[in-house]
């Protein structure tokens, strides 16, 4: 522990010394549109909202996936403790743009402070949280040590540690530091048993580790469909539709290659392409049009022309769950190129899609394994472009097989998602909230 304190002091001194450069970097990012144009000072710990009297709980998530996983817990907290002020922070602007419309009324949003001593001290000094709930893997030393110094209980929900991060934290220099940081948590709720073992091997106290289920199964309680999506369903009523979602750069080539092969046997098929980032979708559409292909672009409200347009590109944020209701077959991206780590399959399963994924699923390997163990038909995993083509072709060609896969994924989702929020809330009450709020 003494070595851990020494390493932390080195880290604190370093982050203190480079703070002016970090502040300049944030301003530069703001000018380039990578930070919120008006609210970038929040990243330096300067608040843009007033703290209400009474108890406050702070939820922190980096980006959209973690933020969406936190929202069901925030809603439960809001229901059961209405007098409690809830603050949520995110790091990315894209996460804010989607999450701001999902948060319950009264929940405050700020952009997360950088992990510099000044920014953290300003943030904690203003908001004075009674408890801090961190999502997934945000082990920022200045934040954790400052909170511990103020006796603020810390929880890590959906805690995960990639193999790469685990190896890095296990190094002789960083292991004493991560051991020190993990000792400050009152609750670590890993998203799988393997992740729990990772945290134990990093010397997290065994008594704070408690498994409750993966919160990403619960982000999919979807209510209602927009008028534009209903109109799109009408346009697609007589077509065979499949969706390829959360695509990373380069994966669109795999999907479009498969789509071109499928058109031979299914000329009435349409693929909906949903890249991870909207600007990537615009680039895909531009390239396809340059090659002479007809494409409908979501942001321009373009319509599908029957017999001509068979590619629909979604270059908007926050609509993926609605689009899963449009297509009976969902191919989950982030899994077809080595080095990628997969994306959430349960969103598609919740919508009743037949789910297909590649073999590079990384963080979501536990989800694939759990779904397959529950019912092998709930998710199909492929390794090559040809295997993907054959999997989609089978489902497009056989309505009965398609329906069987859809039913399997829906039933597995319902089974795996049940009771997770109740379990998480009970753990938070036991380890974090009791006696503090």
């Amino acid at each position: 522990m003494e070595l851990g304190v020494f390493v932390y002091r080195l880290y604190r001194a370093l982050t203190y010394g480079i703070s002016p450069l970090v502040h300049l970097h944030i301003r530069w990012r703001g000018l380039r549109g990578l930070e919120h144009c008006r609210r970038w000072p929040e990243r330096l710990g300067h608040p843009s909202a007033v703290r209400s009297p009474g108890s406050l709980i702070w939820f922190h998530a980096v980006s959209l996936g973690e933020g969406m996983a936190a929202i069901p817990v925030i809603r439960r907290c809001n229901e059961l403790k209405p007098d409690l002020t809830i603050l949520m922070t995110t790091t990315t602007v894209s996460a804010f743009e989607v999450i701001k419309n999902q948060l319950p009324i009264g929940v405050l949003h700020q952009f997360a402070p950088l992990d510099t001593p000044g920014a953290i001290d300003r943030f904690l000094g203003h908001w004075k949280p009674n408890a801090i709930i961190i999502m997934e893997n945000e082990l920022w030393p200045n934040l954790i040590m400052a909170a511990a110094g103020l006796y603020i209980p810390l929880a890590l929900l959906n805690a995960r540690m990639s193999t790469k991060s685990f190896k890095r934290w296990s190094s002789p220099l960083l292991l004493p530091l991560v051991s020190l940081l993990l000792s400050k948590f009152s609750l670590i709720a890993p998203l799988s048993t393997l992740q729990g073992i990772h945290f134990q091997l990093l010397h997290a106290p065994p008594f704070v580790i408690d498994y409750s289920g993966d919160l990403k199964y619960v982000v999919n309680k979807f209510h209602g469909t927009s008028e534009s999506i209903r109109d799109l369903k009408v346009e697609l009523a007589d077509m065979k539709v499949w969706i390829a979602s959360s695509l990373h750069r380069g994966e669109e080539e795999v999907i479009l290659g498969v789509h071109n092969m499928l058109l031979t046997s299914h000329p009435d098929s349409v693929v909906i392409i949903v890249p991870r980032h909207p600007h990537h979708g615009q680039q895909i559409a531009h390239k396809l049009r340059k090659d002479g292909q007809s494409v409908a672009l979501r942001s321009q409200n373009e319509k599908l022309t029957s017999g001509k347009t068979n590619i629909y590109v979604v270059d908007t944020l926050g609509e993926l769950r609605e689009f899963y209701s449009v297509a009976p077959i969902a191919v989950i991206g982030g899994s077809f190129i080595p080095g990628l780590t997969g994306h959430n399959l349960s969103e598609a399963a919740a919508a009743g899609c037949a789910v297909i994924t590649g073999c590079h699923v990384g963080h979501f390997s536990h989800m694939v394994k759990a779904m397959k163990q529950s019912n092998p038909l709930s998710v199909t995993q492929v390794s090559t472009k040809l295997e993907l083509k054959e999997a989609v072709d089978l489902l497009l060609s056989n309505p009965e097989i398609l329906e069987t896969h859809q039913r399997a994924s829906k039933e597995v989702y319902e089974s795996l998602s049940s009771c997770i929020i109740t379990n998480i809330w009970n753990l938070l009450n036991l380890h974090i909230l009791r006696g503090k709020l």
Side-chain angles (χ1 to χ4, degrees):
M1 195 66 73
E2 289 182 6
L3 181 55
V5 172
F6 175 73
V7 176
Y8 168 65
R9 286 174 179 167
L10 286 178
Y11 174 87
R12 181 176 174 83
L14 177 63
T15 51
Y16 182 82
I18 65 171
S19 291
L21 295 177
V22 172
H23 293 183
L24 287 174
H25 178 64
I26 286 293
R27 291 181 181 235
W28 172 240
R29 282 174 55 86
L31 292 173
R32 294 165 57 208
L34 299 176
E35 300 286 345
H36 196 283
C37 59
R38 294 185 305 278
R39 293 176 54 186
W40 60 264
E42 293 173 23
R43 301 280 281 134
L44 306 179
H46 299 289
S48 65
V50 176
R51 189 204 192 283
S52 303
S55 297
L56 179 145
I57 187 169
W58 170 23
F59 286 82
H60 171 60
V62 179
S63 56
L64 184 57
E66 297 93 333
M68 294 301 291
I71 285 176
V73 186
I74 290 173
R75 286 184 179 140
R76 180 63 59 90
C77 185
N78 203 43
E79 291 168 6
L80 299 182
K81 292 189 176 289
D83 297 332
L84 182 66
T85 299
I86 301 174
L87 169 69
M88 183 176 191
T89 61
T90 55
T91 300
T92 65
V93 177
S94 58
F96 163 70
E97 292 298 334
V98 175
I99 287 171
K100 68 181 180 181
N101 300 317
Q102 305 284 336
L103 290 173
I105 295 172
V107 174
L108 301 172
H109 177 273
Q110 296 280 280
F111 285 99
L114 296 164
D115 197 51
T116 61
I120 292 297
D121 289 347
R122 279 190 292 271
F123 186 92
L124 294 178
H126 175 80
W127 293 107
K128 298 179 174 61
N130 297 81
I132 301 174
I133 315 297
I134 300 172
M135 301 303 299
E136 297 207 3
N137 60 350
E138 289 296 281
L139 298 177
W140 291 107
N142 285 322
L143 166 59
I144 293 169
M145 295 301 289
L150 294 169
Y151 301 102
I152 303 170
L154 289 151
L156 192 62
L157 299 189
N158 250 34
R160 66 175 174 85
M161 183 78 62
S162 69
T163 302
K164 184 178 178 181
S165 296
F166 177 70
K167 288 179 179 177
R168 184 173 67 248
W169 282 115
S170 299
S171 68
L173 177 64
L174 294 181
L175 182 58
L177 175 61
V178 76
S179 174
L180 173 67
L181 299 179
L182 294 176
S183 72
K184 305 303 180 184
F185 281 86
S186 300
L187 170 65
I188 297 174
L191 55 75
S192 70
T193 305
L194 175 62
Q195 294 297 326
I197 293 171
H198 278 173
F199 282 97
Q200 283 189 338
L201 291 174
L202 293 173
H203 302 168
F207 58 85
V208 306
I209 298 175
D210 210 328
Y211 180 71
S212 61
D214 187 349
L215 277 168
K216 288 194 173 178
Y217 283 118
V218 200
V219 305
N220 311 297
K221 301 298 184 184
F222 179 65
H223 306 286
T225 304
S226 67
E227 185 177 347
S228 63
I229 294 292
R230 290 195 294 270
D231 291 343
L232 181 62
K233 284 185 178 180
V234 173
E235 290 181 58
L236 295 169
D238 298 321
M239 303 179 191
K240 295 180 177 179
V241 187
W242 60 292
I243 185 171
S245 63
S246 301
L247 299 183
H248 288 242
R249 195 169 298 279
E251 289 188 303
E252 76 278 5
E253 296 174 10
V254 176
I255 299 303
L256 291 169
V258 169
H259 177 58
N260 288 332
M261 287 190 282
L262 288 170
L263 285 173
T264 331
S265 50
H266 303 284
D268 58 344
S269 65
V270 172
V271 63
I272 299 174
I273 292 178
V274 189
R276 184 125 171 92
H277 301 291
H279 67 273
H280 184 205
Q282 294 157 14
Q283 292 167 354
I284 293 171
H286 176 74
K287 185 178 185 302
L288 287 170
R289 285 170 176 164
K290 194 175 178 181
D291 294 340
Q293 298 197 55
S294 179
V295 182
L297 198 60
R298 173 66 175 168
S299 64
Q300 303 302 314
N301 296 314
E302 294 170 349
K303 304 296 181 183
L304 286 158
T305 307
S306 181
K308 184 181 178 183
T309 310
N310 51 47
I311 302 172
Y312 191 89
V313 179
V314 180
D315 59 333
T316 54
L317 282 171
E319 295 188 296
L320 181 56
R321 286 184 293 165
E322 286 192 84
F323 273 98
Y324 282 138
S325 70
V326 173
I329 303 165
V331 177
I332 313 300
S335 61
F336 292 98
I337 296 176
L340 298 180
T341 54
H343 284 293
N344 192 355
L345 286 70
S346 71
E347 292 177 315
C353 297
V355 180
I356 303 173
T357 186
C359 58
H360 305 286
V361 291
H363 302 320
F364 293 89
S365 58
H366 70 283
M367 187 177 284
V368 173
K369 183 179 179 181
M371 290 178 70
K372 281 185 173 181
Q373 285 179 338
S374 185
N375 187 331
L377 298 181
S378 65
V379 55
T380 301
Q381 198 165 16
V382 298
S383 300
T384 65
K385 184 191 291 188
L386 182 59
E387 286 183 9
L388 176 58
K389 182 260 180 186
E390 290 173 348
V392 178
D393 193 10
L394 176 67
L395 297 173
L396 290 177
S397 304
N398 299 272
E400 292 175 0
I401 293 176
L402 172 59
E403 185 180 349
T404 301
H405 281 257
Q406 287 182 277
R407 186 167 57 250
S409 64
K410 180 76 171 179
E411 289 174 354
V412 166
Y413 165 76
E414 295 293 347
S415 171
L416 293 175
S417 65
S418 62
C419 300
I420 291 175
I421 289 297
T422 299
N423 292 343
I424 284 286
W425 183 251
N426 289 340
L427 288 178
L428 286 175
N429 261 325
L430 177 64
H431 293 275
I432 299 293
L433 306 181
R434 186 175 295 173
K436 291 291 181 179
L437 304 175

